[in-house]
Amino acid sequence: MDWSKVKRNRAVSTQPYGPYISLERLVRLQFMVKDFSLQPTQPVSSILSGRYGSRLRGRGLNFEELRRYLAGDDVRTIDWKVTARTRTPHVRVYSEEKDRKVLLLVDQRANMFFGTREKFKSVTAAEAAAISAWRAIAAGDRVGALVFNDETILETRPAGGSGAVLSILGDVVQLNHQLSKENTSPE
């Protein structure tokens, strides 16, 4: 094993970020997302697909309410036992479950190319996007992104898995490395 490379890598990891971010640093953030959550505060007790309750009512699996039949309701939802007891038609209403899609907007325009010796604003935006993406994937959600600078918009449609996150983070790094002092306009 070449210990000079190990020492050099350790030295690089303790240095400040500066104006640019690396894909390696963004990937490393996946191990630091334990205390960060994008999940809603109310628990969802269903073990079926779709971890978040939808506000939409329809043909789902979770019973929501029993109400009188209205013109236009699906006759397949009529509860025949309640209808026989009350002698008026009643229907069962269920709530649908939906998978959540997380869409990240990452700004890498020229006005993000400033900051302190420790970290530039563009680097902070890239880190926030990486933390959010890794946390969403850990929760079983799908992640998509719009990464943009002054000339380009890179779109990634929502998908699951670490491959989708790596694609997004690759776009972030690509646009981050296109930033330069010459392109920055004073504001």
Side-chain angles (χ1 to χ4, degrees):
M1 176 176 236
D2 187 6
W3 290 102
S4 62
K5 289 182 181 177
V6 172
K7 288 179 184 177
R8 188 176 31 202
N9 287 343
R10 246 188 241 150
V12 169
S13 66
T14 59
Q15 291 178 353
Y17 284 85
Y20 301 107
I21 191 72
S22 70
L23 184 59
E24 176 191 353
R25 289 183 193 234
L26 294 178
V27 169
R28 211 177 311 143
L29 288 174
Q30 72 180 308
F31 304 108
M32 300 178 185
V33 297
K34 294 177 184 172
D35 298 330
F36 178 70
S37 177
L38 295 172
Q39 292 183 345
T41 55
Q42 78 267 7
V44 178
S45 58
S46 175
I47 60 171
L48 302 173
S49 69
R51 299 178 50 165
Y52 307 102
S54 171
R55 300 220 184 265
L56 301 174
R57 292 186 177 176
R59 295 190 49 133
L61 299 173
N62 293 331
F63 176 72
E64 187 72 32
E65 69 177 341
L66 191 64
R67 63 168 173 78
R68 287 184 165 225
Y69 177 84
L70 299 173
D73 283 341
D74 190 358
V75 293
R76 294 177 288 183
T77 61
I78 293 177
D79 188 327
W80 294 105
K81 290 182 181 180
V82 174
T83 300
R85 249 189 338 254
T86 61
R87 299 191 188 261
T88 58
H90 282 74
V91 293
R92 287 181 163 261
V93 178
Y94 296 90
S95 61
E96 295 183 20
E97 291 183 349
K98 297 287 183 185
D99 287 330
R100 187 165 64 170
K101 298 174 192 151
V102 176
L103 182 62
L104 303 172
L105 299 171
V106 187
D107 186 357
Q108 292 293 307
R109 293 179 295 170
N111 62 355
M112 299 288 283
F113 196 68
F114 76 94
T116 64
R117 289 184 188 187
E118 286 289 318
K119 215 179 280 190
F120 272 41
K121 195 173 175 183
S122 58
V123 171
T124 303
E127 287 179 335
I131 289 171
S132 299
W134 287 122
R135 188 63 193 140
I137 291 298
D141 297 327
R142 294 186 284 161
V143 180
L146 290 173
V147 184
F148 59 95
N149 64 12
D150 294 315
E151 298 90 26
T152 310
I153 298 175
L154 301 176
E155 176 186 2
T156 304
R157 297 208 178 263
S162 60
V165 175
L166 291 174
S167 173
I168 292 167
L169 297 182
D171 291 346
V172 171
V173 169
Q174 175 189 346
L175 294 188
N176 179 263
H177 285 261
Q178 289 178 6
L179 291 171
S180 67
K181 291 178 184 175
E182 290 80 32
N183 295 344
T184 307
S185 60
E187 293 183 39

